[in-house]
Amino acid sequence: SCHSKNEYDALEFLRKRPKDKPFLLTTAFFAPHCVDGSPEQYYPQNETKKLYNDVNITIPLNGIDMDESWKRLPSFFTEENEARGRWHWRFDEPVKAETMMKNFYRMETEVDKACGNIIEELSRQGVLNKTLIIFTTDNGNMHGEHGLAGKWFPYQESIRVPLVIRDPRMPSKAHGSTNDDFTLNIDLASTIISAAGVEQPARMQGRDISELYLPSKRNKMLSDPWRKDFFYEFPVREDPFHIPSSNALIEKNFKYIEWLEFNVSQLFDLINDRFEENDLINDAKHSRRISKMKHRLKELAAAAL
């Protein structure tokens, strides 16, 4: 039985598609999104409501005091901030916070089950090992980290997303392995058209992710190594105290952030401070790094236009 309209539509498409033609199916689930403005926020299906009853969940998952973390944010983060408002809706009281997270995980479990049913249908039709499957999402989520809830900002919890690829071309030794290279949302289209044997138009900015795991593409990687940093932007056109705009340059070891409307910058050491609690922007020993990262951010921003 189907848990969601998206799952039902996906399975119906697979069953009714012309079997002699290639196909592209995108399934986008509403779960685990909240219902905006509703006090309960997350609404799992009846079948999953009993899951995780005996599990203890303490917010935030990083174990850092939320009030202390909130105080460390730049001064323009006030109670007017959208993510602060959502923190109050969800996480400003321990019992409520635990209920919210359990319902969130219940909804994620529903998505997991739906994906399993779609994969099962591909297997039943005998096309699983001819099909590239990409599982990802459009944004991360803060669950109380920094005293916030939601997305919108360039902190790790907000910008990191899951990416799982099942590719029949992948050598078996790569199955189940993880990879730490920077992949971006702009790479998804490049990866799909490459798998379909289509030449990528020059104006596209993404890169084929299969270069990271297909031996046949190793030469490309030698002549043109994979990115070591990337440009992040979140241009909002609204009240900056509600949701401020931001740009960032992200490297493996450091992140440089610019809050555009407030002329405020931040620098974080992602190795020694992975929860981004200790802003190094005024630390003299990083002044050279800051000017280099500022320059690189400008360079990548110009290239992205």
Side-chain angles (χ1 to χ4, degrees), residues 217-233:
K217 301 193 176 180
R218 201 157 281 147
N219 284 345
K220 169 94 171 86
M221 289 286 287
L222 291 170
S223 60
D224 182 13
W226 198 260
R227 66 176 73 89
K228 293 280 183 270
D229 57 13
F230 69 93
F231 168 59
Y232 162 94
E233 64 175 337

Side-chain angles (χ1 to χ4, degrees), residues 61-274:
L61 302 175
N62 67 17
I64 292 168
D65 183 276
M66 290 187 285
D67 293 330
E68 290 303 310
S69 196
W70 163 251
K71 286 175 196 156
R72 282 192 280 268
L73 289 173
S75 59
F76 54 83
F77 275 85
T78 68
E79 293 295 334
E80 284 175 62
N81 188 287
E82 176 67 21
R84 183 61 172 173
R86 291 186 186 226
W87 178 82
H88 283 295
W89 293 356
R90 297 174 196 167
F91 303 128
D92 64 359
E93 188 275 312
V95 175
K96 176 169 73 174
E98 186 166 51
T99 304
M100 290 286 173
M101 283 312 296
K102 285 184 178 183
N103 283 336
F104 185 87
Y105 289 143
R106 286 164 183 144
M107 291 170 80
E108 292 207 317
T109 304
E110 291 161 19
V111 171
D112 194 48
K113 190 166 193 304
C115 291
N117 290 342
I118 291 166
I119 288 168
E120 210 171 278
E121 179 60 28
L122 291 168
S123 179
R124 198 185 63 76
Q125 292 187 14
V127 293
L128 181 60
N129 290 324
K130 291 195 287 186
T131 306
L132 168 68
I133 299 172
I134 301 173
F135 174 85
T136 190
T137 184
D138 56 343
N139 56 266
N141 224 4
M142 291 175 286
H143 298 300
E145 298 87 359
H146 308 286
L148 301 172
K151 45 188 180 181
W152 309 296
F153 307 134
Y155 299 125
Q156 294 292 76
E157 298 86 3
S158 169
I159 67 170
R160 295 202 63 181
V161 297
L163 174 66
V164 182
I165 294 179
R166 186 190 195 280
D167 187 336
R169 301 169 299 169
M170 190 184 282
S172 57
K173 69 174 191 306
H175 291 187
S177 62
T178 56
N179 176 295
D180 281 337
D181 285 302
F182 281 135
T183 53
L184 307 177
N185 50 7
I186 56 170
D187 297 331
L188 298 174
S190 305
T191 305
I192 292 164
I193 65 170
S194 162
V198 177
E199 192 69 33
Q200 174 163 318
R203 69 180 181 275
M204 283 178 69
Q205 295 171 334
R207 191 157 172 180
D208 173 13
I209 296 169
S210 75
E211 289 174 27
L212 296 172
Y213 58 80
L214 291 185
S216 60
K217 301 193 176 180
R218 201 157 281 147
N219 284 345
K220 169 94 171 86
M221 289 286 287
L222 291 170
S223 60
D224 182 13
W226 198 260
R227 66 176 73 89
K228 293 280 183 270
D229 57 13
F230 69 93
F231 168 59
Y232 162 94
E233 64 175 337
F234 190 68
V236 199
R237 288 176 180 79
E238 65 156 290
D239 172 5
F241 285 98
H242 184 233
I243 300 180
S245 295
S246 55
N247 283 351
L249 176 73
I250 292 123
E251 299 172 351
K252 280 292 170 200
N253 297 354
F254 283 87
K255 180 188 296 181
Y256 170 72
I257 299 170
E258 293 181 341
W259 300 96
L260 307 169
E261 293 109 338
F262 297 99
N263 204 19
V264 168
S265 302
Q266 293 187 286
L267 178 74
F268 294 103
D269 175 343
L270 299 176
I271 304 299
N272 298 303
D273 176 30
R274 66 196 183 103

